[in-house]
Structure formats: structure tokens, C-alpha cells
């Protein structure tokens, strides 16, 4: 099974992706997580991407497509995969057509006030990359023991730009995938398990 999770920053794509990928034994491919790993490792790609990410801008399509093409060759993708945060532009979606077929595109819809509340409380582990929210996890350290931090691009000014970039570059994918008959919208403004059940209902129909 090959899935795309679409939605603005803070929609819950990452949280839901972890659950679905585990349940269906498919690879969870988050281009944002891959870029943050490159930054942590201090690679050339990571250093080039960092400025753009910190400003809430998109990383160039060719960089992202190169990463994705390599990633889906890996052994853990043989049962399928779930893209979280990819594609983010029409050009990426068009290029993806030459790389792989897709079974379902899940569009997770959440009102903008909820997005800002969720993102501003989000914390990440500096070591393993796990994500938490201050409303449900008040500790300063990750369960793995490393310190938690707030992503630079989760600070309010950058979040506003990320939402503008979403509207301009990524939202058009809703029409693009509707036209291909692949889009399914679920309400993301609900408890984690309720959203998970709604996604499962789509992909097991
Ligand atoms: P995310 O963790 O998905 O919110 O991604 C964090 C940041 O990484 C985004 O704001 C972009 O700067 C960059 N990024 C992640 N995925 C992509 C993509 N598919 N295309 C372009 N930039 C991306």
C-alpha cells in the first residue's frame, strides 16, 4: 500500500503516520524528518536546507526528489510506504507519477487556530527526533533521555510563513489529487484515535 498524507503544518500528519505505518507494516517517509537528520549530521545537504527550513520556505524540488527516490529503494519499502510532508508542490506530485503509483491521498483537515495551538506546544527530541506536545508531556527530556527542544521553524513568525507557503504551494494538491480520484478528506480536529480510525476506514474500504 502506498499512501500520501496531505495537510498543513500541525494537522497531525506525523502523529497519524506513525500509527498507520506500524499497523500496516509500511515505511513512514517524512521528508521533514529526513532533512532534520541531515542537519543533525551536518551534511552539505543539511547545511544548504537549514536556512530555508528555519525561514519556513520549501527546499528545492530536485533536492527532495533525489532524497525520495533513494529512500523508496530501501528494503523497508517493499510492502509499501506512507509519505508524510511529500509531495508539497505540484511539480513534486508530477515527478512522483514517474516514480511510483499511489493508492490513497489522505487530506487531514484542521482549522487554523488549532494548527497554531498545536505547533506552538510542539517539542522534539534533539537525539532520536521523537515528537511531543507540552499539553500531554510536561517533561524536559525525551523518553530516550535526551533534551527536548522547540524546532526553530515552530516559532510563531515562521509558523505563519509556513502556513502562507502551504496555502500557496501545497494546497493546490487537493484539487490535483481530487482530479485523479485519489483524495479522501478526514477531519483532523478530533482525538488522535478518532482521526486514526477515520483514516483506517478510508484505506481498508
Ligand atoms: P515538516 O517536518 O514536514 O513540517 O517539514 C519541515 C520543513 O522541511 C518544511 O517547512 C520545508 O522547509 C522542508 N520540507 C519538508 N518536506 C519538504 C518537501 N516535500 N518539499 C520542500 N520542502 C520540504
Amino acid at each position: 500500500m502506498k499512501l500520501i498524507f496531505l495537510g498543513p503544518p500541525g494537522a497531525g500528519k506525523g502523529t497519524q503516520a506513525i500509527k498507520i505505518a506500524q499497523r500496516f507494516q509500511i515505511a513512514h517517509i517524512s521528508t521533514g524528518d529526513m532533512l532534520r537528520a541531515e542537519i543533525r549530521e551536518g551534511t552539505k545537504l543539511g547545511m544548504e536546507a537549514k536556512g530555508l527550513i528555519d525561514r519556513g520556505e520549501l527546499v528545492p524540488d530536485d533536492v527532495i526528489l533525489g532524497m525520495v527516490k533513494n529512500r523508496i529503494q530501501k528494503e523497508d519499502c517493499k510492502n509499501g510506504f506512507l509519505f508524510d510532508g511529500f509531495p508539497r508542490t505540484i511539480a513534486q506530485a508530477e515527478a512522483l507519477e514517474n516514480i511510483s503509483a499511489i493508492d490513497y491521498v489522505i487530506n487531514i483537515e484542521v482549522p487554523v487556530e488549532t494548527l497554531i495551538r498545536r505547533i506552538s506546544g510542539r517539542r522534539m527530541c534533539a537525539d532520536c527526533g521523537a515528537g511531543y506536545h507540552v499539553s500531554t508531556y510536561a517533561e524536559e527530556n525525551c523518553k530516550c533521555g535526551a533534551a527536548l527542544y522547540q524546532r526553530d521553524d515552530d516559532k510563531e513568525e515562521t509558523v505563519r510563513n509556513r502556513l502562507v507557503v502551504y496555502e500557496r504551494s501545497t494546497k493546490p494538491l487537493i484539487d490535483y489529487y481530487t482530479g485523479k480520484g485519489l483524495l479522501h478528506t478526514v477531519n483532523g480536529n478530533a482525538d488522535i484515535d478518532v482521526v486514526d480510525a477515520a483514516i483506517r476506514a478510508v484505506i481498508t474500504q
Side-chain angles (χ1 to χ4, degrees), residues 27-162:
H28 172 202
I29 303 181
S30 157
T31 43
D33 283 350
M34 291 169 78
L35 292 166
R36 283 184 289 279
E38 298 276 346
I39 294 172
R40 278 201 301 277
E41 288 157 22
T43 65
K44 184 164 172 279
L45 191 159
M47 293 305 100
E48 283 166 6
K50 186 173 183 341
L52 290 165
I53 294 175
D54 288 350
R55 291 197 301 279
E57 298 294 333
L58 295 182
V59 172
D61 292 331
D62 56 336
V63 174
I64 298 289
L65 288 162
M67 278 185 356
V68 167
K69 276 187 206 161
N70 282 335
R71 180 66 186 85
I72 63 174
Q73 303 303 323
K74 301 237 163 95
E75 178 66 16
D76 66 337
C77 293
K78 68 177 192 311
N79 270 344
F81 44 78
L82 188 172
F83 287 128
D84 157 13
F86 171 85
R88 250 177 163 100
T89 62
I90 296 280
Q92 290 178 15
E94 286 172 349
L96 176 59
E97 304 222 337
N98 298 320
I99 301 174
S100 175
I102 294 294
D103 300 308
Y104 300 97
V105 178
I106 309 290
N107 174 39
I108 306 181
E109 224 172 36
V110 174
V112 72
E113 318 79 69
T114 309
L115 298 175
I116 294 185
R117 183 165 36 79
R118 284 188 185 171
I119 298 177
S120 59
R122 192 150 76 170
R123 298 292 180 268
M124 296 211 58
C125 175
D127 193 23
C128 72
Y132 297 91
H133 195 275
V134 291
S135 64
T136 52
Y137 188 81
E139 309 295 320
E140 290 185 359
N141 289 320
C142 177
K143 289 176 185 158
C144 81
L148 295 180
Y149 73 103
Q150 184 177 35
R151 280 167 50 176
D152 281 339
D153 64 339
D154 278 351
K155 300 198 170 134
E156 184 162 343
E157 201 183 299
T158 310
V159 169
R160 294 202 181 274
N161 191 40
R162 288 168 68 200

